[in-house]
Amino acid sequence: MRRSIWISTTCAAVLLVGGCATAADSNAATPTPENCAPVTSTDLATEDGWIGLIDQAPDTISLVIDDGRGRTVEHRADQEQVLASAIKVVHLAAYARAVTDATIDPNEQVLLTDWERWYVPGTDAGAHPAALDRLGIANDGIAATDPEATVRIDDMVTAMIQESDNSVPDYLRYRLGDRAIVDAAATGGWENFQVPSLVTDILSLYDPALADGNRWETAQMWAFDPQFRAQVSAAIQPSTYEEQADRVQSTFRGGSAEQLNGMYRAFTDGTFGDASDTIVRQLEWQPAGDSVRGVGFKGGSLAGVLTQGFELRRNDGTVATTVWLIDGLSADRFDQAMTQFGVQQQLIVDAMLSPEVLDRIACVV
């Protein structure tokens, strides 16, 4: 799963220092057809191209944009789609509740070997070594080089959110148990949440047989059985983009934009109580500028899939949230999306702050 990092460019940089229009500048009326200009662009290097993707491939999109001021734009909001790394905010919520309950001390030192037993080297587009670099942990470009090295568990969680490290969610699942994660999802309004194993999901992209049976048992065998790990590692075969995309759609667990958006809303409306402080601190790791209190986000990607989840807290106390899920991307389209996803993130921020931009999206849903 590649990491998704919000890129502050062009108008969003202006918006966040108060230079562009905000939702207070217009009313909450839904656009009428007379207000809508046709969107014909297919270029994902432009905001119109991302908007056009909704119009051109509507069955591949699940979308919720709630501006927090009475306007919500939705498209297939209740349809389940693969969430990729966007699902990690549920693990974050469970961790935050454990910190609040004193089940976990955020300053606890964890051995790198205990973190990396849940790591599948070479499958995360460099997310894990990038996290180690940021945290100042010596590594060989794949894993830590000092077996006695330790790291704060709170810093491990930053790696899950910022670099999108895939090993931390299963580590947290092992530490907290399934019930803690399911309960965190339910607190956010997501009932009957099925806890994924990112270790097994990733392994199954290369060996589909590993998706059969109990995935959590498979993940624990990878973590604690060196012989099993060696056998699986030796048997892993390269797979094509098309093969991975098919496996993602057939075996990965998902959710709807509505369910994930409910989590973001709950993070910021007091539902999680004091745990929200930890959640928001982790999500809002990039500076937001002076015109808003904070912008938090977590995205993800897999073959054929790109996902985004955002919350934006304004200085007046209102909160906007967005979840935008895309699947069915061809290899060429996926490559373009991964090159230009900063434009989409820019569009999301613009839509949460500007009624004119929100209108443009409302015209195609």
Side-chain angles (χ1 to χ4, degrees), residues 184-199:
T187 298
W190 191 337
E191 300 293 342
N192 303 313
F193 181 77
Q194 297 183 33
V195 185
S197 167
L198 275 73
V199 167

Side-chain angles (χ1 to χ4, degrees), residues 124-293:
D124 64 353
H128 183 71
L132 297 181
D133 285 343
R134 176 176 59 83
L135 296 172
I137 298 170
N139 66 90
D140 59 6
I142 298 175
T145 53
D146 180 1
E148 301 301 318
T150 62
V151 59
R152 290 171 67 243
I153 191 169
D154 198 70
D155 288 333
M156 289 174 60
V157 175
T158 70
M160 179 177 73
I161 300 302
Q162 296 186 28
E163 287 82 18
S164 207
D165 182 278
N166 287 329
S167 52
V168 176
D170 277 17
Y171 172 86
L172 291 175
R173 181 179 183 179
Y174 180 74
R175 283 288 304 270
L176 298 172
D178 283 13
R179 175 49 53 189
I181 299 174
V182 171
D183 287 349
T187 298
W190 191 337
E191 300 293 342
N192 303 313
F193 181 77
Q194 297 183 33
V195 185
S197 167
L198 275 73
V199 167
T200 305
D201 283 351
I202 294 302
L203 289 173
S204 72
L205 292 178
Y206 304 94
D207 184 353
L210 293 173
D212 300 332
N214 187 312
R215 295 189 181 195
W216 184 227
E217 288 183 2
T218 299
Q220 292 180 87
M221 289 174 66
W222 173 268
F224 296 106
D225 185 338
Q227 184 177 2
F228 176 80
R229 180 188 283 242
Q231 290 173 344
V232 170
S233 297
I236 286 178
Q237 297 294 323
S239 54
T240 66
Y241 176 89
E242 290 73 17
E243 289 172 334
Q244 289 197 18
D246 287 344
R247 293 167 189 172
V248 165
Q249 290 301 322
S250 63
T251 65
F252 277 50
R253 290 172 179 163
S256 68
E258 186 175 64
Q259 288 169 320
L260 188 56
N261 191 70
M263 295 295 295
Y264 277 91
R265 183 59 56 186
F267 294 158
T268 53
D269 69 3
T271 299
F272 277 88
D274 291 341
S276 287
D277 294 340
T278 297
I279 296 169
V280 170
R281 172 176 57 81
Q282 288 278 352
L283 290 175
E284 295 181 358
W285 60 276
Q286 285 195 358
D290 296 332
S291 69
V292 296
R293 187 173 301 172

Side-chain angles (χ1 to χ4, degrees), residues 5 21 39 45 47 59 105 110 141 164 169 288 292 320 353 361:
I5 298 178
V39 179
E47 290 192 351
D59 292 343
D105 178 354
V110 177
S164 207
V292 296
L353 287 170
I361 297 174

Side-chain angles (χ1 to χ4, degrees), residues 1-5 84-86 88 123-127 162-166 202 241 244 298-303 305-307 331 334-339 341:
M1 296 181 190
R2 303 183 193 180
R3 54 185 176 150
S4 286
I5 298 178
S85 288
K88 293 172 183 174
T123 63
D124 64 353
Q162 296 186 28
E163 287 82 18
S164 207
D165 182 278
N166 287 329
I202 294 302
Y241 176 89
Q244 289 197 18
K298 181 72 194 85
S301 62
L302 290 162
V305 171
L306 180 63
T307 60
F334 179 81
D335 287 343
Q336 185 185 25
M338 290 306 300
T339 302
F341 71 89

